[in-house]
Each structure stands twice: as C-alpha cells, then as structure tokens.
Amino acid sequence: MEHKIDRISELPDPILEHLLSFIPTKQTLQLSILSKRWQRVWTLFPIPDFHQDLFVNNLRKVPPNEKEQEIQRKKEEFRNFVESSLLAHYRQRLNINKFRLRMMLDESDYAVVNRWIDYAIECNVKELNLDIFIRIHLKRYELPERVLVANSITELKLQSCKLKSFSGDINLSSLKKLVLSGEVEESQLVQTLIDSCRDIEEMTFECVNGLKSIRVSSLPKLKAFALLQNSKYESVEIEASNLESLVFKLDSLPCQINLGPCENLKKLVLYSCHITDKWLHDVLSKHQLIECLDLADCFMLKRIKISSHRMKSLTFINCDKLVEVNIVSPNLHRLMYEGEIISFSLNSSSLSEVILVFSGDTPNAEMIEFLSKLSQPKLLTWTLGEDETLKIAKRLRTTIPCPLYNVKELKLIVYSIPTREIHEVVDVLLWICPLLEILFIERRYQGTLDNISFKFSYGNPIYKVRNRSCCKHLPVLCWRHCLKAVKIANSKGSAEEETLKKYFFKNAKILESFHYL
C-alpha cells in the first residue's frame, strides 16, 4: 500500500505560521491536536486567540452523569493549553500581536489569568482582548494595574473586568482603540483613562456600570466615539476636532448631551436619546459635514426639518411622537423609515434605496401619498407586519397616479400570503411600481421562510391604446402594454404557478414568454 506523505508539515515554521494566519482558531486547534509539529508552531504563533468554548462545547456524546466531570476536565485542558502557549512565547521573548481570552472564570482562575496577562505584556502584546464571564455570586475579576501602563498595547478590549482605584499614572502611550464593558469602582479613573490616551482614535463604552458623566476633549486624533446601552448617564460632553463618527445608544433616561465643536463629524447615531427638535436642528446647523444620521426611539422628536447638501443616509426608527419630516437633501442616497405614516416630504435627486416598515393602521390613501413623496428610488425594500395586508382598491387605482413608476427593484417582506392571493399581491405591487424589472417576495409564516422572485423583460410598448385607465396618470405606459417576458423562481407549487400564469397572460398585452426556473 502506498503511504501518503505529509509534505505540508515538512514546511519551515515561518511558512506554517503564515498558513495558520488564514485559518479560523477552531481549525488551528484541531491541527495542533493531530500533529505535534503543528502544536509547536501553534504555541509560537504570534496571534494567540484562546476561546474556552472551543474546548468545552462539544459534549453531546458524553453521558449526563459524566458531563460535569468532563466539563472540568476540558477546562483544565484549556488552561494547560493557554499556559503552555503563552509560556513558550515568554521564554523565547517572542512578540505577541494579539492576545484574546474568552473564558468563564472561577475565583481560582484570577491569579492564573493575571499571570497570562503578565506573559503577554512581557511579549509586547499589541491587542489585548479580555472577554471574561463571572458567575453571579462571585466577585468581579479586577484588572491588573500593569495593563494600564503597558506601552506596547495599541488596542484594549475589556469585558466584565472591574477597574479598581489606581495609585499611579496611566501610561498607554500607544493606545489607538479602547472598548470598555463592565464595572467601574471609581468614575474618575475612567475619566483619567480618557484624558491620558492622547493618540486614541476609537473609543467605545458599553454597559459600563458606575459612570454618571463623561467628558471627551483635547484628543486630536479621536475619530470614533460610542456610548452603548448605558442607562445611568447624567451628562456627556464631546469636543473633538477630528471626530468623524458619534454613536449614542442610551436607555431612554434623561441624559444631557453637549456636543461642542466637532468640525469633521460625518456620522451621528442617536438611539433612545432625550433630544428635542431644537437640539437636533442646532446640531445639524453647526455640523454641516454630517453624511449619515440615524434616529431611533427618540420619543421627544415631533417635527424634523433637514436641509443638507452633504447628507447621504437617513434613518428614522420608531420615533413615536414624530408627526412631520421635511427633507431637502439633493445628494441623499439611502432612506430608511420605520413607524406610523406621517406627514412627509423629500427633495432629493440622488435617492437610490428606500427601506420601509410601516406600523399601525395604514390607510390606502395616506400610504400612497407617503410613497409618492419618495423621489422615485431605484430600489425599494418594504416590510409588512403580521396583521397588515396589501390591498388597494381598483377603483382608487384609476383615480390617482402610480406612486413609484421609476422603481426597478422591489423586495417585499411579508408575514403571510395565502397561495390563492399571490397574484392579487403582485397586481398591487405592479400598480405601485408599474415598470419593475425584479420583484422579490419573502414570505415568513409560523416559523417557516420561503421566497418567490420575478424577473420582467420589456419590449416596444403598444402606443395606440384606446383605454389607458391603468396608466393614464403616468408619463409612460405601464407594464401591461410592454411586458414581453416573465421568469419566476421558487413558486410554491402547481396551484400558485397556474394562478400566476393566468394572471400575466390575461393582463400583459404583448407577453411572449413565461417560464418557471
């Protein structure tokens, strides 16, 4: 029998390390188990990523009475693996580019994790990511003071690590990115951390307990700042000349947001923030370079007017008290609106994509009026709730113009369409968008998901049409007079196929081709 030769394992270590850099951690661990050569290369790999779940999760075949013992054995195996890997780097003084530890800790692990962090710092770690989980009854894991004076760290991510009082000076002179989530013993420590990172470029604070206020200023290189899911802030002050992205996702409790000069601000995201119409108007007036504005669950907003030549993307989600939106943004490309139908006007010559999710009752006339104000985008994504139906009376369709005759691609997400009604839904959609090229309907019902798609091709229209009631309000003839070919994919069966076939051959005057893919 001819034996296969493992030529890959014979490659030099630098080449094997390069190969590992393209393989997910789970697969590299499997390789290290199969071969001692791969294990040695892995332990010296400059980007260790240690994930406890990769060791512990695969226990489906373990008998229930042995599971707890097997879990403890796997955890010990994981600890030994991390220890041997980091110790190998430490002894040879090899640099570590990234050290990520994701682990459920017992109190007996605290000293061990501290030792691992020491190894990483001695190896000039650049990215330190501690994703720590603690059982509810245990005290929080306290971050070693040494981390806050590690000059090599360029990216620091801390989850569920307690920051205790620190007697010395914080010195993270190389830090570019900070992500903090967890508990703070002294809020002044975080403020000192912010002020000391002179070269910081990105900051994110998520679910940080113990903070009431944050002040960001005199950080000339800061480009992105985010406060996420923080419920107890009383005030936030931001002043950063080169800041480009600002994200606030609070918890609908009063928080005073003072936004000073941020001359380069391009993205502003406000979720669950106590902001008024005047506050938003003042901010947009002072920051004329904003290109992306997201507003969600901002229940104090009522009437918004946006006038900007820079604005490219606008999002409004569930701002319940909102009754009027007026937009003059000639370069707007993308609009998302989720909520009840309101008074709406839009002036944009560049709009290409619209995403709609209407809530509550949607009267036909008001819905059509809303759609007609969308400046004729090329792509429309529309979601209907479980209790909503898409029916517009034929009588109404003959008395008002089709609202979106320039839309070429429509995606409808709907939570139930009986098979017998699919042609009725298509009929309404082709009235709303009478020259569609692609129609995609995604149907979600009782946990199931399926979709049906249509591709339409057009020929030369029939111009001598005696009765043009279907498109008399349009500047061009609708699909009924120029549809030449229909291709349908993913229909639900013969009944639906037959219904659709009859519908198109009855209504399309010059239809030549009809196919199911």
Side-chain angles (χ1 to χ4, degrees):
M1 181 182 294
E2 182 180 353
H3 294 282
K4 295 183 179 179
I5 301 175
D6 182 7
R7 299 190 182 278
I8 294 180
S9 296
E10 295 177 358
L11 295 172
D13 286 358
I15 294 179
L16 292 180
E17 290 180 7
H18 183 69
L19 292 174
L20 284 176
S21 67
F22 295 98
I23 302 175
T25 301
K26 184 174 182 179
Q27 278 67 48
T28 58
L29 287 173
Q30 292 171 346
L31 286 171
S32 69
I33 294 172
L34 292 173
S35 167
K36 290 184 178 180
R37 174 74 196 290
W38 281 98
Q39 186 175 32
R40 183 174 67 83
V41 173
W42 165 248
T43 57
L44 299 179
F45 189 50
I47 313 178
D49 189 345
F50 302 104
H51 195 322
Q52 188 182 63
D53 290 348
L54 298 180
F55 279 74
V56 177
N57 278 352
N58 190 20
L59 299 174
R60 287 177 296 179
K61 296 182 180 181
V62 178
N65 61 329
E66 299 177 12
K67 185 160 292 187
E68 184 60 31
Q69 182 179 354
E70 182 64 14
I71 289 174
Q72 293 305 318
R73 190 187 70 80
K74 289 286 187 179
K75 285 183 177 180
E76 186 62 28
E77 182 181 328
F78 174 75
R79 294 186 191 97
N80 292 336
F81 181 74
V82 178
E83 178 75 22
S84 62
S85 298
L86 292 174
L87 187 59
H89 282 79
Y90 172 72
R91 285 174 174 171
Q92 299 187 43
R93 290 299 189 270
L94 298 175
N95 287 338
I96 294 178
N97 293 334
K98 178 180 179 180
F99 172 41
R100 181 193 178 196
L101 177 66
R102 180 176 173 85
M103 182 179 180
M104 172 70 78
L105 295 188
D106 297 319
E107 286 193 43
S108 59
D109 295 319
Y110 292 0
V112 176
V113 173
N114 288 347
R115 183 169 68 247
W116 294 344
I117 292 173
D118 282 342
Y119 289 154
I121 291 175
E122 287 295 328
C123 294
N124 299 313
V125 64
K126 292 182 179 179
E127 298 181 25
L128 180 61
N129 186 340
L130 302 179
D131 196 352
I132 302 297
F133 296 89
I134 308 292
R135 290 183 174 86
I136 296 176
H137 65 280
L138 297 180
K139 69 177 184 179
R140 289 284 184 179
Y141 169 74
E142 295 182 349
L143 186 74
E145 292 184 359
R146 192 176 181 189
V147 173
L148 299 180
V149 293
N151 292 325
S152 65
I153 296 178
T154 60
E155 183 174 315
L156 180 61
K157 295 183 179 181
L158 305 174
Q159 179 166 319
S160 301
C161 297
K162 184 175 181 179
L163 297 182
K164 59 182 180 180
S165 56
F166 184 58
S167 56
D169 294 329
I170 295 175
N171 184 9
L172 292 166
S173 57
S174 301
L175 192 64
K176 304 294 184 185
K177 182 176 182 179
L178 172 66
V179 179
L180 182 62
S181 173
E183 184 178 348
V184 176
E185 188 173 272
E186 292 187 7
S187 58
Q188 184 57 44
L189 176 63
V190 175
Q191 189 60 58
T192 303
L193 175 60
I194 293 173
D195 295 338
S196 65
C197 300
R198 300 291 301 170
D199 291 330
I200 194 80
E201 296 177 1
E202 296 181 47
M203 277 189 184
T204 300
F205 295 88
E206 182 174 4
C207 299
V208 179
N209 299 318
L211 285 181
K212 291 186 177 181
S213 64
I214 282 184
R215 184 188 69 257
V216 176
S217 63
S218 303
L219 298 177
K221 296 184 180 181
L222 184 65
K223 292 184 177 180
F225 182 83
L227 283 181
L228 310 177
Q229 299 177 5
N230 296 274
S231 60
K232 297 183 179 180
Y233 282 104
E234 296 175 357
S235 66
V236 179
E237 297 181 26
I238 307 292
E239 182 178 340
S241 58
N242 288 304
L243 188 70
E244 296 180 359
S245 173
L246 183 58
V247 178
F248 289 131
K249 293 188 178 181
L250 307 179
D251 286 338
S252 297
L253 294 177
C255 175
Q256 185 176 357
I257 302 174
N258 298 318
L259 195 57
C262 300
E263 296 89 345
N264 290 290
L265 188 62
K266 295 180 181 178
K267 179 180 180 180
L268 179 60
V269 177
L270 301 168
Y271 277 37
S272 300
C273 296
H274 277 238
I275 58 171
T276 62
D277 298 347
K278 184 180 183 305
W279 184 95
L280 182 61
H281 179 268
D282 291 344
V283 166
L284 295 178
S285 299
K286 293 175 183 177
H287 301 85
Q288 293 288 329
L289 298 184
I290 292 179
E291 298 178 353
C292 175
L293 174 63
D294 289 5
L295 302 170
D297 298 318
C298 297
F299 64 88
M300 295 181 69
L301 294 175
K302 295 181 180 179
R303 289 178 169 83
I304 298 175
K305 184 175 181 179
I306 297 172
S307 180
S308 171
H309 286 268
R310 292 276 188 169
M311 195 69 70
K312 295 180 180 178
S313 175
L314 279 172
T315 297
F316 305 92
I317 299 176
N318 295 332
C319 297
D320 293 342
K321 299 295 179 61
L322 197 61
V323 295
E324 183 178 350
V325 173
N326 188 327
I327 303 168
V328 180
S329 299
N331 294 306
L332 188 69
H333 296 318
R334 180 184 181 274
L335 172 68
M336 178 176 181
Y337 180 82
E338 180 174 343
E340 295 185 0
I341 293 179
I342 60 174
S343 176
F344 182 86
S345 66
L346 171 62
N347 184 349
S348 174
S349 57
S350 302
L351 193 64
S352 58
E353 180 182 5
V354 171
I355 301 170
L356 293 177
V357 184
F358 290 136
S359 59
D361 295 330
T362 54
N364 285 339
E366 293 181 17
M367 180 184 68
I368 294 167
E369 182 180 0
F370 189 100
L371 294 175
S372 68
K373 301 292 182 63
L374 294 179
S375 295
Q376 302 296 332
K378 297 295 185 293
L379 170 63
L380 173 62
T381 301
W382 189 356
T383 299
L384 293 177
E386 292 186 14
D387 298 327
E388 293 180 274
T389 57
L390 192 61
K391 293 183 179 179
I392 301 175
K394 292 184 178 181
R395 177 186 56 79
L396 184 61
R397 297 184 224 171
T398 61
T399 59
I400 58 177
C402 304
L404 294 170
Y405 60 84
N406 269 343
V407 170
K408 301 303 179 186
E409 184 174 345
L410 170 59
K411 178 179 180 180
L412 179 72
I413 301 171
V414 64
Y415 283 84
S416 63
I417 300 181
T419 299
R420 67 181 183 276
E421 295 183 6
I422 184 65
H423 69 287
E424 296 177 6
V425 174
V426 171
D427 188 56
V428 174
L429 295 175
L430 286 176
W431 176 80
I432 293 172
C433 308
L435 289 173
L436 276 178
E437 295 176 359
I438 295 176
L439 172 59
F440 183 91
I441 300 176
E442 182 176 293
R443 300 178 282 196
R444 304 173 183 179
Y445 183 66
Q446 295 183 347
T448 63
L449 174 66
D450 68 81
N451 59 74
I452 182 170
S453 61
F454 301 78
K455 185 176 181 180
F456 304 113
S457 301
Y458 298 92
N460 294 325
I462 301 174
Y463 283 102
K464 294 181 180 180
V465 181
R466 293 180 180 179
N467 181 11
R468 283 189 55 192
S469 60
C470 58
C471 51
K472 64 182 179 181
H473 298 289
L474 286 175
V476 294
L477 292 174
C478 72
W479 65 275
R480 296 173 185 270
H481 309 290
C482 52
L483 182 62
K484 196 170 184 178
V486 178
K487 294 181 180 180
I488 302 177
N490 302 323
S491 60
K492 292 182 71 174
S494 58
E496 183 171 89
E497 292 176 2
E498 187 62 27
T499 298
L500 288 170
K501 185 175 181 179
K502 287 180 179 179
Y503 167 78
F504 279 107
F505 272 108
K506 178 181 178 181
N507 292 280
K509 308 302 181 183
I510 63 170
L511 186 63
E512 297 179 356
S513 174
F514 187 90
H515 293 291
Y516 288 102
L517 302 178

